[in-house]
């Protein structure tokens, strides 16, 4: 099922106010954008390219649990204490994105209840999807029967 990207999910006014805080950044192929457990103080909206989200699995290579493309939110851990990344992220190819400082966005949200509601509603939806994707991927990789029906 295809879900609306973050910019499509925000109405014009809140979207414009959020984008006013963003700055354009780019990442080369193979760049680790963030690592699981590091401090989460920013987030990105992917403009072009693809980013893999992965999870550390002791004794094994990191498992890719989701892949993000244009208009996808990269990073939600900035919103939830203890503000540490729950996953890692790596650029698959060249990625262009808007980067947002979490403190600036949270400060704006304190005064802009319309943006606060729309953005936080979207982030909660993203958290749920990403947790389900991680669970399914880990069951596929390491569960005795994968994520399919058991015999």
């Amino acid at each position: 099922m295809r879900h609306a990207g973050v910019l499509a999910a925000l109405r014009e006014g809140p979207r414009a106010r959020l984008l006013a805080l963003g700055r354009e950044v780019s990442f080369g192929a193979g760049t680790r954008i963030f690592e699981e457990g590091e401090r989460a103080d920013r987030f990105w909206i992917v403009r072009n390219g693809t980013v893999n989200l992965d999870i550390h699995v002791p004794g094994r290579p990191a498992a890719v649990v989701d892949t993000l493309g244009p208009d996808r939110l990269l990073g939600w851990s900035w919103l939830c204490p203890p503000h540490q990344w729950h996953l890692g992220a790596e650029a698959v190819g060249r990625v262009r994105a808007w980067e947002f400082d979490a403190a600036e966005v949270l400060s704006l949200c304190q005064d802009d209840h319309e943006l606060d509601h729309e953005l936080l509603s979207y982030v909660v939806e993203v958290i749920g999807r990403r947790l389900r994707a991680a669970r399914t991927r880990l069951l596929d990789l390491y569960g005795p029967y994968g994520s399919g029906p058991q015999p």
Side-chain angles (χ1 to χ4, degrees):
M1 179 176 180
R2 181 91 171 129
H3 299 280
V6 62
L7 297 179
L10 299 176
R11 288 181 293 164
E12 185 178 338
R15 180 176 52 240
R17 293 188 296 274
L18 176 65
L19 286 174
L21 295 180
R23 69 181 189 96
E24 293 186 37
V25 298
S26 62
F27 304 100
T31 300
R32 292 296 294 177
I33 300 169
F34 55 83
E35 295 288 347
E36 187 177 343
E38 290 181 344
R39 183 171 172 253
D41 60 357
R42 63 197 63 248
F43 65 95
W44 300 263
I45 297 174
V46 177
R47 295 181 61 203
N48 302 98
T50 306
V51 176
N52 280 341
L53 297 176
D54 54 43
I55 189 166
H56 174 74
V57 181
R60 298 179 184 251
V64 174
V65 296
D66 207 353
T67 301
L68 309 178
D71 199 25
R72 293 294 179 226
L73 178 71
L74 174 57
W76 55 263
S77 301
W78 57 275
L79 187 59
C80 305
H83 307 288
Q84 293 178 324
W85 297 117
H86 289 81
L87 301 170
E90 184 172 311
V92 175
R94 181 167 187 241
V95 172
R96 292 177 50 220
W98 286 291
E99 182 177 78
F100 299 87
D101 179 272
E104 288 180 2
V105 172
L106 290 171
S107 178
L108 177 60
C109 285
Q110 285 182 340
D111 298 327
D112 186 334
H113 299 289
E114 184 180 31
L115 174 61
D116 183 58
H117 175 75
E118 290 186 23
L119 181 60
L120 297 185
S121 293
Y122 182 81
V123 171
V124 166
E125 182 184 327
V126 166
I127 292 169
R129 278 197 319 266
R130 300 241 172 103
L131 289 173
R132 284 189 301 277
R135 179 183 183 276
T136 299
R137 182 67 175 135
L138 291 174
L139 283 172
D140 284 342
L141 290 172
Y142 306 112
Y145 305 105
S147 61
Q150 297 181 13

